[in-house]
Amino acid sequence: ILVERLEAALMSFVEEARAMKTPTMQWPIVQVKGKLDWESPEWEKGATIDGFLKAFQKKGEVPSVHPSRVDIFHDGRTFFLRARLGDDKIASLAKPQVPMGKKEYIPESDHLEIFFTDTADASKYYMFSISPDDIVSDLLGYDGAWNCSWKHRARRTAEGWEAIVEIPLEAINAANGNRNDLKFLVLRDYSPHGGAKREYSSWGGGAMHQTFTFGDVRIIR
């Protein structure tokens, strides 16, 4: 009886996974002229994710309470992402204190997480995180010892906060000459402040570290 119950529970998870619809997108190639800034025209030529879905929803798609927009492109060498994250309570968000001796840190407060699977091995994935105060981290799976030479900046605005991320494609094994397909996720952790409840939301409703929930990407060369 116990085995039958375990089998039934397992099959219910299998059916949920089969029914899950992961989103798809293409990363266009755009040549960058000069320094890329918050309002650079290149962003208008990129792919856009306009609005996130709540993560960890067993049934149906539930839009995030907080507006989120992400623009993405690459130039053949570097992956570029600009995030604009609405938050009318941003003034009440305290800046996290990074523990002594740590150069990288994922705060238990608002931040953005970006995941890529390896183009040659879908079980291998990379994670990057950034907070409104430019507190960052990079990991290979859960391995914080892995490091990548990437660029990042963040700022608070009247409407919320923004971030720009630049990651070498070679660092995530997606450089020219490699495969053009991978799985990808960008996820927002909105932690309680100003009376709001905590919310995880992401592109397509995928969950952090669960690669089978990530969306599918084709890199346009």
Side-chain angles (χ1 to χ4, degrees), residues 8-21:
L10 174 61
M11 291 310 298
S12 70
F13 288 124
V14 170
E15 291 304 317
E16 284 184 16
R18 287 174 177 170
M20 184 175 294
K21 296 179 180 179

Side-chain angles (χ1 to χ4, degrees), residues 25 47-53 63 66-71 84 202-203:
M25 73 184 307
T48 298
I49 301 170
D50 193 4
F52 286 2
L53 300 176
H66 307 96
S68 302
R69 177 190 169 106
V70 174
D71 299 296
R84 288 181 163 170
S202 64
W203 178 46

Side-chain angles (χ1 to χ4, degrees), residues 1 7 11 16 22 25 50 55-56 81-83 98 101 104 115 118 120-121 141 146 179 182 186 205-206 220:
I1 292 174
E7 183 180 14
M11 291 310 298
E16 284 184 16
T22 54
M25 73 184 307
D50 193 4
F56 308 109
L81 178 148
R82 179 186 68 180
V98 179
E104 298 180 359
F115 295 86
D118 192 281
D121 181 359
W146 180 81
R179 299 177 184 178
L182 70 156
V186 54
I220 304 300

Side-chain angles (χ1 to χ4, degrees), residues 55-192:
F56 308 109
Q57 301 299 305
K58 292 185 177 180
K59 294 183 179 180
E61 297 180 347
V62 182
S64 167
V65 173
H66 307 96
S68 302
R69 177 190 169 106
V70 174
D71 299 296
I72 296 169
F73 66 89
H74 74 98
D75 67 355
R77 299 174 301 279
T78 304
F79 166 88
F80 298 94
L81 178 148
R82 179 186 68 180
R84 288 181 163 170
L85 309 170
D87 181 358
D88 58 3
K89 308 292 185 186
I90 191 70
S92 66
L93 176 64
K95 181 179 179 179
Q97 295 298 312
V98 179
M100 186 78 67
K102 282 187 174 289
K103 294 183 178 179
E104 298 180 359
Y105 182 59
I106 303 176
E108 282 294 322
S109 65
D110 290 46
H111 65 277
L112 195 72
E113 298 182 357
I114 306 165
F115 295 86
F116 311 84
T117 60
D118 192 281
T119 57
D121 181 359
S123 67
K124 179 180 178 182
Y125 67 94
Y126 311 87
M127 174 189 167
F128 299 79
S129 73
I130 184 168
S131 80
D133 302 296
D134 203 26
I135 299 170
V136 300
S137 66
D138 50 30
L139 303 88
L140 176 58
Y142 285 96
D143 182 6
W146 180 81
N147 285 298
C148 169
S149 178
W150 59 300
K151 297 179 181 179
H152 47 82
R153 52 199 139 137
R155 66 177 185 178
R156 299 187 184 209
T157 68
E159 294 78 28
W161 64 284
E162 300 178 343
I164 291 178
V165 169
E166 304 179 23
I167 300 171
L169 290 174
E170 185 177 11
I172 59 172
N173 200 28
N176 283 334
N178 292 57
R179 299 177 184 178
N180 299 322
D181 300 302
L182 70 156
K183 296 185 79 65
F184 167 74
L185 182 73
V186 54
L187 177 142
R188 180 182 183 181
D189 181 347
Y190 182 99
S191 294

